[in-house]
């Protein structure tokens, strides 16, 4: 094709990169991009088809401040097939830093390697790494003892938030670091009965921990010279762990080892790890992508300006083959080298459905890949200039996605507690009327908006009420309980506690993946800060003293988690589970239903929960958002009114109902015997603003 190394305008590059001719001419399928290390020599490969030339620079250190301002070696790269530049260097280069000097579109710029697997401080220089030397002890057996994946309960946390609090029980040098996860028997005030950090996670019982961005991002100075905080949605080096979470950000192998140690510690606790990934934009347009192949990796408007559907000034172009390839390579790398068990996609709606399905297919081909979770935000921050012929991975296009790609169900979120954008707007649990239909849809994992979309799998909907974005659940509820715009978020609030328990009870008993923000289980507050992405660490950290002040609320969540893990119906992927749910007639402000399990009677008859088997064949669940108690006739029970005909929705299974929770406390623990639980027949009173759950 025509000379692709000549200088062009942004609009001309857009036209060239959108052509089938360019994609076919320069799509590279090899697996050797980056620095491929061996003890006797390292092969460097950079895909830069529009570059006139490229030169490899080698350094003794990862930054000029460390006394390595100039490279000790420079080598002209050879241009080979598909626009790949190559250099081979003899000798053991493990720990050597490098950059590329690329001349493209009339400019010569020094850049890190887009495929770098390690980096120096602040990610400006890439590093050659022997990954075997960066393995913690026992890494080869890391995943062997993980239990079979149950119905997922995902706990979302920022690495720093987890242990920044001086009361976290973590040693001072490890607070806010990867290594905090490796510390055992952490507790509050030296009292082992008050677990914190990893001890808390094991006590709580979640199945997955979702880590806010842990790849190398650009918004925090890794040297620690400035006191900074950021969530990390500002990618720089996608294959490299973030250095500010490492005990030593200057030596690239340390962050690799310590990130692996964090994942290993979670796995040893029986908890899987989900990685929050941000492929829809980069920290800035002055990125490794723009320096190596200007304009290829980003979407542009017709006039050549950068598309801004991410509200970050640049949208990446997932529909272009080599960026799609980059995403797939990166995702698979984190699975192979870091043993990641799932991925959450930020602004997934900016990516095209074809790319998302190819990522899913690539994961499925890995050992154990079909157990890897994959879900994302099915929305954007604005309109994006996606290439014609491609569909975005939005909620309205969810039917085009694999049935094992999930999405955050904002219909569930807003129906339960009100809009995340309008602070005083209420939902079902905090006073809004007429939402019973939406709550019933939530139980089934449906979406009421966007044409009433029905998932194609029972695990495709992610049910939740709070995440790192927007107000915490507690802060939202406290706001709606007062007319003041500055309520006292830290004060004890019995009404907010009741609404919190009901909100949790609803989304925990919906079909799909269950997701909660860390600390939600203990009334987490950010004191009204609804966008704390760069607020002080003290605002964002888990307050471990408060976590134990609200231990009763956490106990309630613990009961919900235990019930969810124990009841087989919530583990089903097939939509046949919909036939096992029947709604019962209920007054205004209430939703009630039964859900049956498909388990064999003898398997369901176990008297303890430790075997992860439900002792009940059927649950009866009542949501009562009213301020008064409501009496419900128990399904299959005798009517107090002989003239009242039983509803067709009432099942007639044998056995008395057992009260598992009255909406305040759970009556079940891991070692609970069936005979210890109160039995009811005839009717039950659903307490005000509560969830009532019975089983038989």
């Amino acid at each position: 094709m025509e000379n692709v190394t000549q200088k062009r305008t942004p609009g001309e590059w857009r036209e060239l990169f959108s052509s089938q001719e360019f994609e076919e001419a320069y799509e590279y399928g090899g697996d050797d991009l980056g620095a491929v290390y061996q003890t006797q020599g390292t092969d460097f490969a950079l895909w830069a088809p529009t570059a006139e030339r490229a030169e490899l620079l080698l350094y003794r250190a990862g930054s000029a401040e460390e006394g390595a301002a100039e490279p000790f070696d420079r080598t002209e790269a050879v241009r080979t097939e598909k626009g790949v530049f190559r250099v081979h260097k003899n000798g053991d280069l493990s720990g050597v830093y490098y950059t590329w000097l690329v001349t493209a579109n009339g400019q010569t710029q020094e850049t890190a390697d887009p495929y770098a697997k390690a980096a120096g401080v602040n990610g400006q220089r890439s590093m050659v790494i022997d990954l075997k030397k960066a393995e913690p002890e026992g890494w080869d057996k890391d995943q062997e003892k993980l239990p079979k994946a149950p119905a997922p309960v995902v706990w979302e946390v920022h690495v720093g938030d987890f242990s920044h609090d001086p009361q976290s029980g973590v040693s001072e040098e490890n607070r806010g670091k990867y290594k905090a996860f490796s510390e055992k028997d952490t507790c509050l005030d030296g009292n082992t009965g008050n677990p914190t950090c990893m001890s808390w996670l094991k006590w709580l019982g979640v199945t997955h921990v979702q880590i806010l961005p842990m790849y190398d991002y650009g918004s925090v100075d890794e040297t620690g010279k400035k006191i900074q905080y950021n969530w990390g949605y500002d990618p720089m080096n996608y294959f490299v762990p973030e250095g500010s979470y490492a005990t030593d950000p200057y030596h690239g192998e340390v962050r690799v080892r310590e990130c692996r140690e964090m994942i290993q510690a979670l796995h040893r606790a029986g908890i899987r790890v989900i990685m929050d990934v941000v492929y829809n934009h980069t920290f800035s347009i002055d990125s490794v992508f723009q320096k190596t192949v200007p304009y290829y990796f980003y979407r542009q408007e017709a006039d050549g300006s950068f598309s801004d559907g991410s509200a970050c000034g640049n949208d990446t172009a997932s529909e272009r083959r080599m960026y799609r390839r980059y995403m797939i390579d990166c995702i698979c790398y984190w699975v192979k080298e870091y043993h990641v068990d799932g991925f959450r996609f930020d602004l997934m709606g900016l990516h095209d459905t074809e790319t998302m399905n190819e990522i899913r297919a690539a994961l499925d081909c890995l050992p154990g890949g079909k157990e890897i979770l994959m879900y994302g935000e099915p929305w954007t921050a604005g309109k994006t200039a996606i290439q014609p012929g491609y569909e975005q991975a939005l909620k309205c296009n969810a039917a085009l996605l694999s049935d094992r790609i999930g999405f955050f169900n904002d219909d569930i979120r807003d129906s339960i507690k009100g809009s995340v954008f309008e602070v005083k707007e209420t939902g079902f649990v905090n006073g809004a009327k007429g939402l019973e239909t939406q709550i019933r849809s939530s139980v089934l994992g449906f979406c009421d908006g966007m044409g009433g979309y029905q998932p194609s799998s029972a695990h495709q909907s992610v049910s939740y009420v709070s995440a790192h974005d927007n107000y915490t659940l507690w802060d939202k509820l406290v706001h709606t309980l007062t007319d003041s715009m500055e309520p006292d978020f830290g004060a004890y609030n019995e009404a907010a506690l009741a609404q919190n328990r009901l909100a949790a009870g609803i989304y925990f008993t919906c079909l799909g993946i269950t997701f909660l923000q860390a600390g939600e289980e203990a009334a987490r507050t950010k004191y009204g800060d609804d966008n704390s992405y760069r607020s002080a660490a003290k605002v964002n950290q888990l307050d471990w003293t408060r976590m134990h002040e609200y231990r009763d609320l956490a106990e309630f969540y613990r009961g919900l988690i235990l019930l969810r893990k124990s009841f087989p119906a919530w583990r089903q992927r097939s939509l046949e589970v919909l036939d096992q749910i029947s709604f019962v007639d209920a007054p205004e402000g209430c939703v009630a239903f039964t859900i049956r399990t498909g388990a064999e009677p003898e398997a369901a008859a176990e008297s303890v929960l430790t075997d992860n088997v439900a002792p009940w064949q059927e649950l009866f669940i009542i949501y009562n958002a009213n301020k008064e108690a409501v009496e419900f006739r128990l399904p299959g029970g005798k009517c107090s009114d002989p003239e009242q005909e039983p509803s067709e929705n009432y099942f007639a299974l044998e056995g008395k109902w057992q009260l598992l929770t009255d909406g305040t406390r759970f009556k079940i623990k891991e070692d609970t015997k069936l005979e210890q639980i109160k039995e009811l027949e005839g009717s039950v009173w659903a307490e005000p603003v509560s969830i009532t759950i019975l089983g038989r």
Side-chain angles (χ1 to χ4, degrees), residues 158-160 176-178 213-214 217 230-231 242-247 258:
H158 178 277
V159 172
K177 306 295 184 183
Y178 297 122
M214 61 184 184
Y217 58 83
N230 205 285
W231 285 340
E242 165 60 16
S244 66
Y245 301 144
T247 57
E258 292 180 354

Side-chain angles (χ1 to χ4, degrees), residues 319-383:
E319 66 273 23
R320 290 184 178 158
R321 294 184 189 178
M322 286 304 289
Y323 189 54
R324 176 182 296 169
R325 157 76 190 279
Y326 184 88
M327 292 173 66
I328 294 170
D329 287 349
C330 192
I331 289 286
C332 291
Y333 176 82
W334 282 97
V335 174
K336 294 173 184 176
E337 297 297 340
Y338 289 87
H339 303 171
V340 168
D341 307 288
F343 297 90
R344 176 265 190 195
F345 287 79
D346 184 67
L347 293 186
M348 184 174 72
L350 286 175
H351 302 313
D352 66 284
T353 56
E354 188 176 330
T355 294
M356 298 309 298
N357 287 333
E358 287 199 23
I359 292 172
R360 180 71 262 179
L363 288 174
D364 290 348
C365 291
L366 299 176
K370 292 189 176 180
E371 293 296 320
I372 294 172
L373 291 183
M374 183 175 165
Y375 56 85
E377 295 178 304
W379 51 72
T380 70
K383 185 178 179 181

Side-chain angles (χ1 to χ4, degrees), residues 22-41:
F22 178 87
E23 295 280 52
E24 291 178 354
Y26 291 104
E27 182 181 11
Y28 179 65
D31 60 359
D32 57 350
L33 294 177
V36 179
Y37 167 82
Q38 291 183 319
T39 54
Q40 67 273 24

Side-chain angles (χ1 to χ4, degrees), residues 136-152:
E137 184 179 353
W139 185 243
D140 58 330
K141 302 185 187 307
D142 169 56
Q143 293 172 299
E144 287 185 359
K145 295 183 179 180
L146 273 176
K148 182 176 175 59

Side-chain angles (χ1 to χ4, degrees), residues 138-364:
W139 185 243
D140 58 330
K141 302 185 187 307
D142 169 56
Q143 293 172 299
E144 287 185 359
K145 295 183 179 180
L146 273 176
K148 182 176 175 59
V153 178
V154 181
W155 195 77
E156 178 202 44
V157 73
H158 178 277
V159 172
D161 295 356
F162 188 61
S163 60
H164 186 275
D165 182 7
Q167 300 302 315
S168 66
V170 170
S171 58
E172 186 175 356
E173 63 271 19
N174 289 338
R175 287 179 201 153
K177 306 295 184 183
Y178 297 122
K179 290 185 76 67
F181 289 80
S182 300
E183 294 203 11
K184 299 178 181 179
D185 303 322
T186 51
C187 57
L188 180 68
D189 298 329
N191 183 350
T192 56
N194 293 333
T196 60
C197 295
M198 284 298 296
S199 301
W200 177 272
L201 281 178
K202 288 188 280 188
W203 171 82
L204 187 61
V206 296
T207 66
H208 294 71
V209 165
Q210 179 184 301
I211 309 288
L212 265 69
M214 61 184 184
Y215 52 73
D216 184 51
Y217 58 83
S219 49
V220 168
D221 182 358
E222 295 178 352
T223 68
K225 295 176 182 177
K226 304 174 184 176
I227 298 176
Q228 293 176 297
Y229 177 93
N230 205 285
W231 285 340
Y233 291 88
D234 306 299
M236 281 186 61
N237 292 289
Y238 281 97
F239 288 80
V240 181
E242 165 60 16
S244 66
Y245 301 144
T247 57
D248 178 2
Y250 290 94
H251 295 86
E253 72 281 1
V254 176
R255 64 179 75 190
V256 174
R257 181 183 302 110
E258 292 180 354
C259 183
R260 285 169 159 178
E261 287 174 349
M262 174 184 70
I263 293 168
Q264 184 181 51
L266 286 161
H267 284 169
R268 284 176 173 169
I271 299 169
R272 287 169 164 78
V273 178
I274 295 171
M275 184 177 182
D276 194 335
V277 290
V278 184
Y279 292 105
N280 62 80
H281 72 277
T282 55
F283 174 52
S284 73
I285 204 67
D286 185 29
S287 67
V288 292
F289 294 149
Q290 189 67 359
K291 290 175 179 177
T292 53
V293 192
Y295 300 102
Y296 177 79
F297 292 96
Y298 297 100
R299 289 184 186 137
Q300 295 163 270
E301 302 292 347
D303 62 0
S305 62
F306 291 104
S307 177
D308 192 23
S310 61
C312 296
N314 61 80
D315 299 345
T316 52
S318 61
E319 66 273 23
R320 290 184 178 158
R321 294 184 189 178
M322 286 304 289
Y323 189 54
R324 176 182 296 169
R325 157 76 190 279
Y326 184 88
M327 292 173 66
I328 294 170
D329 287 349
C330 192
I331 289 286
C332 291
Y333 176 82
W334 282 97
V335 174
K336 294 173 184 176
E337 297 297 340
Y338 289 87
H339 303 171
V340 168
D341 307 288
F343 297 90
R344 176 265 190 195
F345 287 79
D346 184 67
L347 293 186
M348 184 174 72
L350 286 175
H351 302 313
D352 66 284
T353 56
E354 188 176 330
T355 294
M356 298 309 298
N357 287 333
E358 287 199 23
I359 292 172
R360 180 71 262 179
L363 288 174
D364 290 348

Side-chain angles (χ1 to χ4, degrees), residues 203-204 508-509 552 554-567 570 606-610 612-616 618-619 621 657-679 692-696:
W203 171 82
L204 187 61
F508 263 88
T509 51
D552 285 349
E555 288 274 11
F556 187 76
Y557 274 75
R558 189 180 184 219
L560 286 169
I561 292 169
L562 179 60
L563 181 66
R564 188 165 183 91
K565 288 164 69 174
S566 302
F567 196 67
W570 284 309
E606 299 290 337
S607 60
V608 295
L609 302 180
T610 49
N612 207 26
V613 176
W616 307 284
E618 183 180 22
L619 299 179
I621 299 172
W657 291 97
Q658 295 181 306
L659 182 64
L660 309 185
T661 183
D662 59 3
T664 303
R665 296 181 183 276
F666 262 87
K667 315 298 182 183
I668 56 171
K669 290 184 167 61
E670 290 88 341
D671 58 352
T672 301
K673 304 293 184 182
L674 284 181
E675 59 266 22
Q676 296 174 330
I677 304 175
K678 181 180 179 180
E679 290 187 338
T692 302
I693 304 177
L694 303 100
R696 65 171 172 182

Side-chain angles (χ1 to χ4, degrees), residues 382-584:
K383 185 178 179 181
T384 189
I386 193 168
Q387 196 168 316
Y390 293 91
E391 297 291 345
Q392 294 172 238
L394 299 165
K395 186 167 61 177
C396 59
N397 291 329
L400 301 177
L401 294 169
S402 162
D403 64 4
R404 287 182 305 108
I405 298 176
F407 54 87
F408 285 92
N409 197 323
D410 53 335
D411 290 281
I412 292 177
R413 178 196 69 196
D414 292 353
S415 296
I416 291 174
K417 69 181 178 80
S419 169
V420 297
F421 303 112
E422 300 296 331
V423 65
K424 295 299 185 181
E425 181 182 304
T426 57
F428 179 78
V429 306
N430 49 348
K433 304 298 183 183
L435 291 174
E436 292 80 9
T437 297
Q438 289 90 325
I439 295 299
R440 285 192 289 269
S441 292
S442 298
V443 170
L444 305 175
F446 292 3
C447 298
D448 289 300
M450 298 304 204
Y453 170 70
Q454 174 179 329
S456 48
S457 162
H459 278 190
Q460 201 170 20
S461 172
V462 178
S463 60
Y464 75 116
V465 290
S466 76
H468 64 275
D469 281 321
N470 310 115
Y471 293 100
T472 67
L473 174 61
W474 180 262
D475 288 355
K476 168 70 176 181
L477 295 175
V478 171
H479 252 305
T480 59
L481 283 165
T482 176
D483 293 331
S484 171
M485 291 304 295
E486 296 182 2
D488 186 351
F489 298 103
Y492 183 84
N493 189 318
E494 186 60 52
L497 274 171
Q499 293 174 358
N500 192 317
R501 289 191 296 265
L502 177 55
I506 294 173
Y507 79 85
F508 263 88
T509 51
C510 293
L511 296 181
I513 295 170
T514 302
F515 174 101
L516 67 152
Q517 181 184 15
E520 180 197 301
E521 72 275 18
R524 183 179 184 177
T525 179
K526 294 184 183 179
Y527 304 98
D529 190 337
D530 67 332
N531 190 20
S532 63
Y533 75 101
R534 61 177 182 180
S535 300
K538 191 170 180 63
V539 172
N540 284 283
Q541 70 184 19
L542 290 176
D543 180 341
W544 286 104
T545 301
R546 183 179 175 87
M547 297 280 275
H548 283 282
E549 288 174 351
Y550 287 85
R551 182 74 172 266
D552 285 349
L553 178 59
E555 288 274 11
F556 187 76
Y557 274 75
R558 189 180 184 219
L560 286 169
I561 292 169
L562 179 60
L563 181 66
R564 188 165 183 91
K565 288 164 69 174
S566 302
F567 196 67
W570 284 309
R571 295 200 290 271
Q572 291 181 226
R573 285 186 174 275
S574 168
L575 287 183
E576 290 179 3
V577 70
L578 297 178
D579 296 331
Q580 296 161 217
I581 297 174
S582 292
F583 289 97
V584 172

